[in-house]
Amino acid sequence: MTETETFSYDVVVIGAGPVGENVADRTRAAGLSTAVVESELVGGECSYWACMPSKALLRPVIARADGRRTPGLRAAARGPLDVAEVLAHRDEYVAHWKDDGQVSWLDGTGARLHRGHGRLAGPRTVTVTTPEGRTETLTARHAVAVCTGSRAALPGLPGLGDGTVAPWTSREATSAREAPDRLIVVGGGVVAAEMATAWQAFGSRVTVLVRGSGLLERMEPFAGELVADALREAGAKVRTGVSVTGVRGENGTVVATTDAGDRVEADEILFATGRAPRTDDLGLETVGLEPGSWLDVDDTLRVTGSDWLYAVGDVNHRALLTHQGKYQGRIAGDAIGARARGEAPPTAATADDGAVPQVVFTDPEAASVGVTLAEAERAGHRVRAVDVDLATVAGAGLYADGYRGRARMVVDLDKEILRGVTFVGPGVGELLHSATIAVVAQVPVARLWHAVPAYPTISEVWLRFLETYRG
């Protein structure tokens, strides 16, 4: 019988993705001994199967599209992408799915890495089953932080569980070795829109099946409309108001059936239909919580009803974005450090409520921060939407011939501040941080007149916003 090794730390972090890394970095900065437990790769989902590989795939797609809209470059950008080179660059960007560099960074913080599957085993206790089959017991004097993230959620459809079809999730879509001839994308959110954009550009014949009325339904309606239009122009089929009712394999072909009775055939099928928390095998039942559940937290990321357990990043369901999770990680780490000193936490995670920024790296890009017009109205705010055609901005015309895009700011008429801003168009992702600052800082509209945008840049949309608002 293998003897259990026991270790004692001030803080134990379960999960070594960007969120867990940030928690550990801040608790180490506070002078607390910290262990980090990881069952896969240090760096987590973002580094190997999400943010980084997806953007490595999409950057050449967007650059080629920009080249085709630029005088003098059109002919050079007319040909196909070198897909093998793009995939090889993707592989380099994810370090060929090896985490040596990330481990070196973590070691540099002074945190200790424990590889294996971590589970809660009662208050302030985590057991780790190592790859070699040993058991380690880690105890935490001050806090345990759950930073295990989320996983793709597959629907319970006939055919998905019988082994005849091996569907793609976001992981397979970002790590595939070649472009399938035909690809079905089920879903209308960010993963669906981005991966449809990438694989259509790599030569796949893409069919997008969306249950709702359009793409990117959490943004302003025009965002999804413009992205869907561009996908169709690129050759993809985008069908809305369609539900997949079953999937089966037929002689190497994937067949999806819909509620309209249609058959859609492909070589691969990607389900981008939502996320589920990685909490099902975490030992939550040992501390009175429900396995597989999202974890409710306060604004310091401490689990409701606990004085030692924190849930940071996707697992708390506040904002399933890497940058928001890293933000939460910094706040949680500082809160743990302060409480260990007997002090009140210095900050709270206020940006998770009404000020979340996001960029969708499609062609055109879609970027938003804060709330949509509909969300603001549902919340009872008296608001006005101010819309601008980005093609009217001089910098947009210089950026690309035939530039198409749209922008909206949602103004709170009582407070004269911005509740939300949305941009759609080539290159708009780099506009977003100015909007984020305006929303987070609640900059008065009158003061924005004195934030003068440089000419001729697309940022002059801010002047167009103000002129339109003034009327």
Side-chain angles (χ1 to χ4, degrees):
M1 185 174 179
T2 303
E3 186 175 337
T4 299
E5 290 188 87
T6 301
F7 303 84
S8 181
Y9 299 93
D10 292 322
V11 181
V12 176
V13 179
I14 308 177
V19 177
E21 288 176 335
N22 272 268
V23 174
D25 188 41
R26 298 310 304 153
T27 56
R28 285 297 302 134
L32 302 177
S33 61
T34 302
V36 180
V37 181
E38 177 53 52
S39 61
E40 292 187 290
L41 296 176
V42 175
E45 195 82 8
C46 173
S47 298
Y48 304 102
W49 299 285
C51 320
M52 304 312 289
S54 67
K55 276 53 193 184
L57 294 175
L58 286 159
R59 178 60 197 147
V61 175
I62 294 169
R64 182 182 66 164
D66 284 343
R68 289 176 170 179
R69 290 186 284 257
T70 304
L73 281 177
R74 288 193 184 95
R78 194 167 290 146
L81 289 165
D82 185 333
V83 178
E85 184 177 3
V86 173
L87 296 180
H89 176 66
R90 182 268 321 270
D91 293 352
E92 292 176 8
Y93 230 80
V94 299
H96 299 275
W97 289 276
K98 296 179 180 178
D99 63 0
D100 297 8
Q102 300 263 20
V103 171
S104 178
W105 177 88
L106 188 64
D107 287 344
T109 68
R112 178 169 178 182
L113 174 64
H114 290 258
R115 287 195 182 273
H117 179 69
R119 298 181 86 256
L120 293 166
R124 293 184 172 86
T125 304
V126 175
T127 59
V128 180
T129 304
T130 73
E132 299 79 22
R134 292 183 291 105
T135 299
E136 299 172 341
T137 298
L138 316 183
T139 60
R141 285 180 285 272
H142 294 293
V144 174
V146 174
C147 308
T148 49
S150 63
R151 57 176 172 77
L154 289 173
L157 293 176
L160 277 187
D162 62 10
T164 61
V165 174
W168 278 10
T169 67
S170 52
R171 283 197 169 195
E172 290 76 21
T174 57
S175 62
R177 310 308 307 173
E178 61 184 9
D181 182 47
R182 300 165 299 172
L183 173 65
I184 298 170
V185 177
V186 183
V190 176
V191 172
E194 289 188 345
M195 291 298 94
T197 298
W199 291 105
Q200 178 68 35
F202 298 156
S204 298
R205 289 176 287 165
V206 173
T207 300
V208 185
L209 303 177
V210 188
R211 183 173 59 183
S213 60
L215 299 179
L216 306 178
E217 288 192 316
R218 293 187 178 182
M219 289 185 165
E220 297 285 5
F222 61 81
E225 291 167 6
L226 288 171
V227 171
D229 287 347
L231 277 170
R232 292 186 178 107
E233 289 174 10
K237 297 177 181 178
V238 181
R239 297 177 55 187
T240 60
V242 176
S243 291
V244 175
T245 56
V247 181
R248 65 178 181 272
E250 293 183 0
N251 301 317
T253 295
V254 177
V255 179
T257 54
T258 74
D259 55 354
D262 298 328
R263 284 170 48 100
V264 184
E265 298 184 359
D267 301 286
E268 301 287 355
I269 185 167
L270 163 62
F271 280 90
T273 49
R275 307 288 296 178
R278 290 181 180 273
T279 60
D280 48 323
D281 189 18
L282 191 60
L284 292 181
E285 68 278 4
T286 69
V287 293
L289 297 171
E290 182 182 349
S293 64
W294 303 101
L295 299 176
D296 292 328
V297 296
D298 63 20
D299 282 346
T300 65
L301 293 313
R302 189 165 61 177
V303 172
T304 304
S306 175
D307 63 356
W308 60 272
L309 183 62
Y310 291 73
V312 194
D314 282 12
V315 290
N316 61 43
H317 208 239
R318 289 167 65 112
L320 277 66
L321 295 160
T322 295
H323 46 273
Q324 292 299 122
K326 292 167 68 174
Y327 160 77
Q328 291 179 13
R330 295 188 292 271
I331 288 172
D334 288 344
I336 292 167
R339 286 178 172 135
R341 296 188 299 270
E343 302 170 2
T347 55
T350 58
D352 289 339
D353 182 18
V356 175
Q358 182 173 22
V359 179
V360 185
F361 292 86
T362 45
D363 176 41
E365 289 178 349
S368 67
V369 63
V371 298
T372 64
L373 175 64
E375 288 170 338
E377 290 175 339
R378 283 197 297 270
H381 300 297
R382 194 170 67 91
V383 292
R384 174 186 163 193
V386 179
D387 292 325
V388 172
D389 180 352
L390 278 172
T392 64
V393 179
L398 289 168
Y399 189 94
D401 255 13
Y403 190 104
R404 286 185 292 175
R406 187 172 169 187
R408 168 176 288 178
M409 69 175 185
V410 178
V411 182
D412 186 312
L413 297 175
D414 295 317
K415 295 187 175 182
E416 285 281 306
I417 59 171
L418 305 187
R419 290 284 177 185
V421 183
T422 300
F423 305 107
V424 185
V428 298
E430 297 300 334
L431 295 177
L432 188 61
H433 196 55
S434 58
T436 302
I437 292 170
V439 171
V440 171
Q442 299 188 351
V443 179
V445 172
R447 189 63 188 161
L448 287 175
W449 281 101
H450 303 283
V452 182
Y455 180 85
T457 66
I458 305 176
S459 291
E460 272 205 307
V461 65
W462 286 102
L463 183 55
R464 301 287 93 81
F465 271 149
L466 296 172
E467 291 171 340
T468 303
Y469 180 61
R470 183 179 62 184

